[in-house]
Amino acid sequence: MRKIHLWGALLVSLIWGVTATVPAHAMTTVDQHAAALATPDKLRPLDDTQVHFVTVPSSYAQAANLHGTNTIASDQGSAVTFTTKYLLPTPGYQGEAWGDPQSMAVVGHYLYVVYCPTAWHNRGRIVRFNMRKLASLKATPHQIQRVYTIAANLSAKEKQIRTAIKVGPAFVTGHGQSLAYDWKTHQLYMWCDRESAPRVPVSQYGYLQQLSASTLTPVQRIRFRLRAGDFAVPGGHVLAFDHQGRAYFWTRPNATDVYIYQGRVGRHHVDFRLTSQVLRHGPGTCVQSMAFNPNNDRLYLVADESIASLPVAKLTGSGHLTGQDVKWTHFASKREFEGLSFGENGQAYLLSNHQPEVFAGNTLDW
């Protein structure tokens, strides 16, 4: 039995020379009463000793070069170097505080970034960057960074850059760390994980939202309980999809272990299961992001300065991961890692905070 509600939405005006108009729309909310979590099988520990747990730093580092190119390079594990591709706008549209992006997704030639200013309390917006157009304009990272400054109003080039950026309307996002692209259905999804305080959920219900890539707003969401007997979890904070349309999120049930959940998201129903193998060594304190690399079919679990990955195929059934299947990379940047996304060819993009910027990786398989 399901109940469907309609929510109205507001029009957003075209301001500051960016594409921000959004037509009126209605969002359906589906109440799923059936259990959304399968009864967990017997769990087995996996001793992934090559993964080193990295404690969140007492304070995050700012970018070394506030208005130019920065580098975040690995110093342990699978080698990869990230270099600044975009310095994100500071200030944001209409002077908003865009210093705290929470997640991103790269889909084709578009980059989608979720902004959730702290003062907005579980609300935020999605901003879409047309990477192809930015490239054709030869927009530099610094020009993108200053695109909404008062001085940029006098620049013809900056006004052109604004046309490559679409600013969506505000909506209820929750923490906002989970924007993800379903590689099978070609849809965007994210959790609506509202919090009363950091990591303190408002509700024990999970909410998954499907988003419109054109209006940058939710078009449908499903409300459900991830509960099987006495075992329950409110929902995820991160999200990823593979080529088969299977959804994933990961949690830390205790100080070091990692649980990985796998499921399916339909129009009116979701199903998840806790995979059978427990990683004994998680990448770090904060569950920051999750991503699927279509070039090597691996899932990436992101904490600050620490990223672990594993082959998605070996999570099926009762699981047949070995310790050698798990890769790990450490970085010595002290930057906050907010998001990881992959292009169709395996190009990696890393979102970092504290002078927000998007980095591009130098290898397709790491």
Side-chain angles (χ1 to χ4, degrees), residues 150-183:
I150 294 174
N153 291 331
L154 304 176
S155 167
K157 178 67 172 291
E158 296 284 10
K159 290 180 180 179
Q160 285 183 305
I161 292 172
R162 289 176 184 176
T163 66
I165 304 171
K166 179 169 183 174
V167 181
F171 64 94
V172 178
T173 55
H175 195 118
Q177 285 187 288
S178 57
L179 185 64
Y181 176 65
D182 186 332
W183 291 90

Side-chain angles (χ1 to χ4, degrees), residues 206-278:
Y207 291 84
L208 264 177
Q209 302 186 121
Q210 180 185 338
L211 304 155
S212 167
S214 56
T215 67
L216 308 181
T217 56
V219 293
Q220 178 173 289
R221 69 178 184 176
I222 305 176
R223 176 180 182 264
F224 51 90
R225 281 299 309 272
L226 288 171
R227 180 175 59 189
D230 294 332
F231 183 82
V233 59
H237 287 293
V238 296
L239 185 65
F241 291 86
D242 66 17
H243 268 142
Q244 305 302 315
R246 291 171 296 208
Y248 301 87
F249 66 95
W250 69 282
T251 66
R252 290 182 56 223
N254 55 43
T256 58
D257 290 354
V258 166
Y259 282 177
I260 299 175
Y261 295 81
Q262 181 188 68
R264 294 278 185 181
V265 180
R267 287 285 298 169
H268 303 104
H269 192 85
V270 304
D271 289 294
F272 279 96
R273 71 180 185 94
L274 174 59
T275 57
S276 298
Q277 292 179 279
V278 178

Side-chain angles (χ1 to χ4, degrees), residues 36-163:
L37 183 65
T39 301
D41 294 330
K42 184 177 180 180
L43 300 180
R44 309 190 319 277
L46 178 68
D47 194 14
D48 54 331
T49 53
Q50 67 275 33
V51 177
H52 298 179
F53 186 90
V54 177
T55 304
V56 63
S58 57
S59 62
Y60 290 110
Q62 294 282 341
N65 190 339
L66 297 180
H67 306 296
T69 300
N70 295 292
T71 299
I72 296 178
S74 59
D75 64 350
Q76 294 181 62
S78 298
V80 62
T81 296
F82 287 96
T83 304
T84 302
K85 184 173 180 66
Y86 303 124
L87 295 173
L88 295 179
T90 307
Y93 167 69
Q94 288 190 312
E96 287 179 1
W98 280 8
D100 196 18
Q102 290 298 309
S103 61
M104 70 171 177
V106 173
V107 183
H109 63 275
Y110 289 117
L111 164 68
Y112 300 84
V113 177
V114 178
Y115 288 96
C116 301
T118 303
W120 285 25
H121 303 297
N122 291 308
R123 291 175 64 79
R125 68 168 82 246
I126 297 175
V127 177
R128 189 183 73 189
F129 297 82
N130 186 327
M131 297 190 294
R132 182 182 296 162
K133 189 167 188 178
L134 290 172
S136 71
L137 291 171
K138 296 182 171 56
T140 68
H142 187 217
Q143 287 172 331
I144 296 168
Q145 183 185 46
R146 67 186 297 274
V147 70
Y148 294 126
T149 61
I150 294 174
N153 291 331
L154 304 176
S155 167
K157 178 67 172 291
E158 296 284 10
K159 290 180 180 179
Q160 285 183 305
I161 292 172
R162 289 176 184 176
T163 66

Side-chain angles (χ1 to χ4, degrees), residues 275-294:
T275 57
S276 298
Q277 292 179 279
V278 178
L279 305 186
R280 298 308 304 268
H281 304 276
T285 305
C286 296
V287 178
Q288 290 284 25
S289 183
M290 193 175 201
F292 172 73
N293 184 344

